[in-house]
Amino acid sequence: MSIKVLTPGLLTSIQDLGRYGYQKYGVIVSGGMDAYSLRLANLLVGNEEGEAVIEMTLMGPSLLLEEDLLLAITGGDLSPAINGQPVPQGRPVLVRKGSVLKFGALKSGCRSYLAVRGGFDIPEVMGSKSTYLRAGIGGYQGRALLQGDILPLGLACPLPFAESLVRAMGSSSFAFPPWYVGRSYVLQKSQEYRVRVIPNSQFSLFSPDSRKQFFQEPFQVTTQSDRMGYRLSGVSLQLTEPLEMISEAVALGTIQVPPDGNPIILMADRQTVGGYPKIAQVAGVDISTLAQIKPGSKIRFEEISLGEAEELYAAREADIQRINITIQLQLAGTAT
Amino acid sequence: MLTFDEIKEVIRMVEQSSIQHFELEQENSKIVISKAGIHKVQTGSHEGLEVPKAVWAAGESEQRLAKEIPDVQAEPLHTIVSPTVGTFYMASEPGADPFVKAGEEVESNAIVCVLEAMKLFNEVVAGVKGTIVERLVNDGDFIEYGQPLFLVKPKL
Amino acid sequence: MNTVIENNNLDAKILPFGESAILIEFGKGIDPMIHGKVKMFTENLDLSPLPGMIEYVSAFSSVTIFYDPVKVRKMCQESPEGKSLLTFEILAAMVREKLGKLEHDADYTPRIVEIPVCYGEEFGPDLQYVAEYNKLTVDEVIHIHSHGEYLVYMIGFAPGFPYLGGMSECIATPRRQSPRMSIPAGSVGIAGMQTGVYPIATPGGWQLIGNTPVELFRPLDNPPTLLQSGDRIRFYPISRREYEEYKGGRS
């Protein structure tokens, strides 16, 4: 049971929901940038939501599926095709052994997620299969995927649902059911993406102009953005007076402002601590949106309260619960 | 956590599926829905509502596998009925062109609408080749299981 | 009533940090006293974590607790007023309660960790420069560096990398003008008033004075790092032969 990497794509790595509990030792969280899409992909094939998946960025890989597989693709649209035929996202897809799954042109978003039934049979390091690129641990040999890699797959009991898809497949190389997870969460192309933020307790340290401009002016996601952080350019944000900062913990979505005034939004591979002043914190539910915004795009920050952010968070979790139940229902039955 | 209405919806979804037993465990609750027993006692009433579900096989887009819905009343018009409960949408996303319009000719495997139930979208196919005569429900309506959605004039 | 007013000053500022984290500030500045409070609080968190807590990160003068707001709400449903409160407010009250109890606790006992260092040679290409900069001999630099006791204020920047306090001003040296592309794991260096050890190979601008054969980052062990916040460490010089024996003995 394995998948062979024919071409690796731009930055393709194994990620799960991240490595928690070790930040106090300086070990970063890592994990999928768009955790929402990662969870959906797993649920669609009947995995635990936090199983390891393949995360691909801007330009996807080409993969040889060496076994009959139930897989699901979510997140950004990188034009996935099996043996040259477009394959839909947001659904479980049964694929015949020997097929080639190739990702092509980026149509929307920035990152795509591929989950396979049973997950990947790779060892957990500190409780996670996520690739920690800089320390060279986790994932597949602690690095991004390369040509020729053979990814061993985990075992999972076969679903009756998948067997019914086998019957439906006939002579074609893949089959899928007539239901899917809505793509309402997938980013629609836009001139400017809205990112909701909660001002940080250090917000008041910024100059009145900077505080105003932070919400009024758009910022561009620069090409120096990566899994560690989104580096923005736009108006230069300044403190009212210079400040000696002492390093303290940072979080996913923390917007910190180095002395050059260009904000950085900290993402999955952020360090555990930072010494720059923090202007705001991206609402948890908008992190996945942000993960699908590609360099060159413009974003605009919108202020929300802590209470609103918490409600949005709870509503998103409730949504995932619902999706989980309906998918479980579908997978427990037969597709025909 | 699920609301009472959502639990009812889950029960109905199990009812209409081939699933005999469904268990759902959440952090501090467990829902068990079992059809064992009922299956043997009730032989008639639900069978009539058996609506086929389709499965798409790749490369067969022109001949997607969809069973024809038996036209019980043998009228000239075919009724497309809902295979599930859910919210009716005529288009794949807000603002997009509807899947079908009145007067449009469709193949039997054409998707005519989607029904959203608890965040999952179900595609509904025409089931017969013919011309869409009328849409019987409105965008955003909540649809019951087996509810008529479209009238189609079959093409022989 | 007890007439002795306990004043351990565990007063802390409790601030929200997004909807999934809470920041507890024990003061401002790099100060062993403030850090002692950080350590006391985190030791307590290890023993009795807050409901819904995922993990915490301790820093020089603060502790940040990461939590799942949905879990916090679920676990705190019993309180009648819990519904209208933000999860931040629920947790802040719990933190305050914890701090109130902690005031009567004794100080923590730090772990002492001794780290062997092979100073100079190819391990410490900047040792000579550090000596010249401070108008000392190389031996004097080694003597000063290996006779201090250093407090691990926090771990960060890289897995197992200690932010150390307590270095003698006599050997303080500014960072290199041009950073090195890669500093080998185990490198012991000086940057300004700080000294530190690199657990993994990274680029960096520190003045390198030696290297330790000890592994600071051990991803397969638990805990995965040699050092932890609150540890006190001492460096001791070893010869090149001892260094190689240590490395050889380990593999």
Side-chain angles (χ1 to χ4, degrees):
Chain A
M1 290 286 279
S2 55
I3 290 179
K4 188 177 176 184
V5 179
L6 301 178
T7 57
L10 194 61
L11 175 60
T12 306
S13 66
I14 302 275
Q15 299 292 344
D16 59 16
L17 286 175
R19 191 165 277 117
Y20 287 95
Y22 298 91
Q23 284 198 83
K24 58 172 170 282
Y25 303 115
V27 175
I28 66 170
V29 174
S30 317
M33 290 278 280
D34 175 356
Y36 184 67
S37 296
L38 185 154
R39 294 164 79 181
L40 283 187
N42 275 321
L43 294 177
L44 283 165
V45 294
N47 287 348
E48 290 291 319
E49 63 166 25
E51 185 50 71
V53 305
I54 295 179
E55 178 184 89
M56 50 207 108
T57 318
L58 294 169
M59 202 177 89
S62 184
L63 306 166
L64 174 64
L65 312 177
E66 298 184 316
E67 223 42 67
D68 285 358
L69 274 184
L70 188 69
L71 56 80
I73 303 162
T74 59
D77 188 348
L78 272 74
S79 312
I82 291 172
N83 299 336
Q85 282 183 42
V87 52
Q89 300 197 199
R91 310 186 197 222
V93 181
L94 187 75
V95 190
R96 197 183 293 282
K97 174 181 179 172
S99 300
V100 173
L101 170 60
K102 190 178 190 305
F103 291 83
L106 177 77
K107 276 196 205 146
S108 71
C110 182
R111 294 179 167 84
S112 190
Y113 293 85
L114 169 67
V116 294
R117 169 98 179 132
F120 293 94
D121 184 21
I122 53 169
E124 285 190 353
V125 181
M126 287 175 266
S128 164
K129 293 179 180 174
S130 284
T131 314
Y132 180 174
L133 295 166
R134 203 174 128 202
I137 59 165
Y140 184 80
Q141 299 183 359
R143 56 165 170 78
L145 299 183
L146 296 175
Q147 185 170 342
D149 284 351
I150 291 171
L151 312 174
L153 303 179
L155 285 175
C157 54
L159 293 168
F161 166 85
E163 281 160 26
S164 66
L165 281 179
V166 173
R167 289 197 295 275
M169 190 149 56
S171 61
S172 52
S173 49
F174 65 99
F176 48 88
W179 51 267
Y180 59 95
V181 176
R183 287 176 55 81
S184 57
Y185 65 91
V186 176
L187 213 54
Q188 301 299 315
K189 272 218 168 85
S190 166
Q191 290 289 313
E192 237 174 52
Y193 299 97
R194 176 188 69 151
V195 175
R196 289 165 290 188
V197 301
I198 311 141
N200 188 271
S201 51
Q202 291 164 359
F203 182 74
S204 59
L205 302 176
F206 288 84
S207 74
D209 277 353
S210 291
R211 275 181 268 164
K212 223 185 283 166
Q213 287 163 335
F214 180 68
F215 292 113
Q216 284 175 351
E217 302 294 328
F219 290 89
Q220 188 167 39
V221 178
T222 70
T223 49
Q224 283 93 57
S225 301
D226 56 17
R227 280 183 45 89
M228 204 165 158
Y230 275 30
R231 290 170 179 273
L232 309 181
S233 68
V235 289
S236 171
L237 302 171
Q238 299 302 331
L239 296 171
T240 305
E241 51 192 67
L243 185 74
E244 186 76 21
M245 286 281 304
I246 304 167
S247 286
E248 59 183 18
V250 292
L252 178 61
T254 296
I255 308 174
Q256 59 176 25
V257 185
D260 71 2
N262 291 316
I264 302 171
I265 310 177
L266 299 178
M267 299 298 280
D269 280 355
R270 68 197 174 278
Q271 289 182 4
T272 55
V273 291
Y276 295 129
K278 300 177 259 299
I279 192 164
Q281 180 69 33
V282 176
V285 292
D286 278 357
I287 296 288
S288 288
T289 309
L290 209 48
Q292 294 297 352
I293 294 175
K294 61 173 188 286
S297 309
K298 284 201 166 133
I299 59 174
R300 197 183 281 268
F301 294 113
E302 183 185 307
E303 180 176 354
I304 60 168
S305 70
L306 190 59
E308 285 168 316
E310 199 187 309
E311 273 169 34
L312 287 167
Y313 183 101
R316 166 68 57 85
E317 290 307 306
D319 270 1
I320 293 178
Q321 269 309 310
R322 281 188 198 99
I323 293 171
N324 183 11
I325 291 164
T326 38
I327 292 174
Q328 279 190 46
L329 264 166
Q330 298 288 347
L331 296 183
T334 53
T336 44
Chain B
M1 204 46 239
L2 290 182
T3 64
F4 184 63
D5 282 346
E6 285 168 339
I7 293 171
K8 282 205 301 198
E9 206 165 306
V10 170
I11 293 172
R12 281 202 294 185
M13 289 166 88
V14 173
E15 249 171 27
Q16 293 145 21
S17 71
S18 58
I19 302 164
Q20 289 303 308
H21 185 86
F22 183 71
E23 287 188 25
L24 180 75
E25 225 171 321
Q26 286 182 301
E27 268 161 55
N28 41 19
S29 65
K30 188 175 178 180
I31 301 171
V32 180
I33 304 168
S34 183
K35 292 200 292 198
I38 300 172
H39 188 70
K40 284 180 185 168
V41 181
Q42 287 196 327
T43 47
S45 61
H46 274 67
E47 311 270 294
L49 279 175
E50 194 69 37
V51 177
K53 286 184 181 175
V55 171
W56 307 148
E60 295 181 1
S61 55
E62 294 313 308
Q63 33 184 302
R64 280 178 168 171
L65 304 174
K67 291 182 218 159
E68 285 202 9
I69 293 169
D71 200 337
V72 188
Q73 291 169 325
E75 280 179 14
L77 290 187
H78 170 85
T79 310
I80 303 174
V81 299
S82 172
T84 179
V85 291
T87 307
F88 176 90
Y89 293 111
M90 349 191 271
S92 61
E93 53 191 72
D97 284 340
F99 291 106
V100 290
K101 287 183 200 137
E104 197 174 318
E105 282 200 16
V106 292
E107 295 292 325
S108 74
N109 58 24
I111 297 166
V112 293
C113 66
V114 289
L115 293 166
E116 185 201 349
M118 289 174 70
K119 303 281 165 189
L120 210 68
F121 291 78
N122 281 276
E123 290 168 345
V124 180
V125 291
V128 291
K129 186 177 177 178
T131 310
I132 301 284
V133 176
E134 195 185 348
R135 173 167 47 81
L136 303 168
V137 291
N138 290 315
D139 206 39
D141 280 359
F142 187 81
I143 305 297
E144 291 295 335
Y145 173 67
Q147 186 175 339
L149 303 173
F150 291 92
L151 292 177
V152 186
K153 188 179 176 194
K155 194 173 179 181
L156 299 172
Chain C
M1 280 294 286
N2 199 333
T3 49
V4 181
I5 297 168
E6 300 253 8
N7 190 6
N8 288 337
N9 274 324
L10 257 177
D11 283 347
K13 220 168 162 183
I14 304 172
L15 300 160
F17 188 24
E19 80 280 311
S20 314
I22 178 167
L23 170 67
I24 301 119
E25 282 182 352
F26 290 92
K28 299 261 179 206
I30 301 174
D31 177 342
M33 283 292 291
I34 297 172
H35 190 265
K37 296 174 191 172
V38 167
K39 185 66 185 170
M40 258 170 76
F41 182 64
T42 56
E43 288 208 328
N44 179 275
L45 280 179
D46 286 333
L47 291 172
S48 57
L50 291 171
M53 175 172 129
I54 296 166
E55 63 179 320
Y56 67 79
V57 174
S58 58
F60 286 106
S61 56
S62 67
V63 176
T64 303
I65 298 173
F66 296 93
Y67 62 89
D68 177 343
V70 174
K71 282 214 179 105
V72 172
R73 196 158 288 283
K74 226 172 245 170
M75 293 169 85
C76 302
Q77 256 171 358
E78 302 83 42
S79 61
E81 76 278 27
K83 278 269 173 204
S84 56
L85 290 176
L86 294 171
T87 51
F88 163 72
E89 293 165 324
I90 296 172
L91 288 180
M94 288 180 173
V95 168
R96 243 175 255 121
E97 199 190 315
K98 249 184 201 302
L99 293 173
K101 284 183 193 155
L102 270 182
E103 285 183 53
H104 304 278
D105 278 0
D107 200 2
Y108 76 100
T109 316
R111 298 192 318 163
I112 310 279
V113 183
E114 300 203 315
I115 297 177
V117 180
C118 183
Y119 289 96
E121 308 203 29
E122 82 265 30
F123 302 126
D126 305 321
L127 181 61
Q128 188 68 40
Y129 177 80
V130 171
E132 281 165 20
Y133 183 86
N134 289 291
K135 301 188 174 62
L136 296 167
T137 65
V138 161
D139 284 344
E140 282 168 333
V141 172
I142 296 172
H143 183 86
I144 293 167
H145 190 262
S146 60
H147 276 74
E149 192 179 78
Y150 305 88
L151 170 64
V152 179
Y153 275 105
M154 68 176 184
I155 306 286
F157 169 67
F161 181 91
Y163 285 77
L164 299 175
M167 194 183 75
S168 165
E169 277 181 49
C170 303
I171 52 172
T173 315
R175 285 163 190 269
R176 286 170 54 87
Q177 287 292 315
S178 58
R180 289 190 172 87
M181 288 307 285
S182 182
I183 291 178
S187 292
V188 177
I190 290 175
M193 281 293 296
Q194 272 189 303
T195 183
V197 194
Y198 281 80
I200 58 173
T202 57
W206 291 47
Q207 306 283 359
L208 305 185
I209 60 170
N211 191 290
T212 176
V214 176
E215 280 188 340
L216 277 88
F217 179 46
R218 307 149 174 200
L220 301 180
D221 294 353
N222 192 12
T225 58
L226 173 70
L227 302 174
Q228 294 169 36
S229 167
D231 288 349
R232 294 197 169 264
I233 70 172
R234 292 183 198 127
F235 297 104
Y236 66 95
I238 55 169
S239 68
R240 194 191 176 91
R241 228 189 73 202
E242 286 170 308
Y243 179 92
E244 269 150 18
E245 273 171 11
Y246 196 100
K247 281 247 168 181
R250 213 187 48 223
S251 59

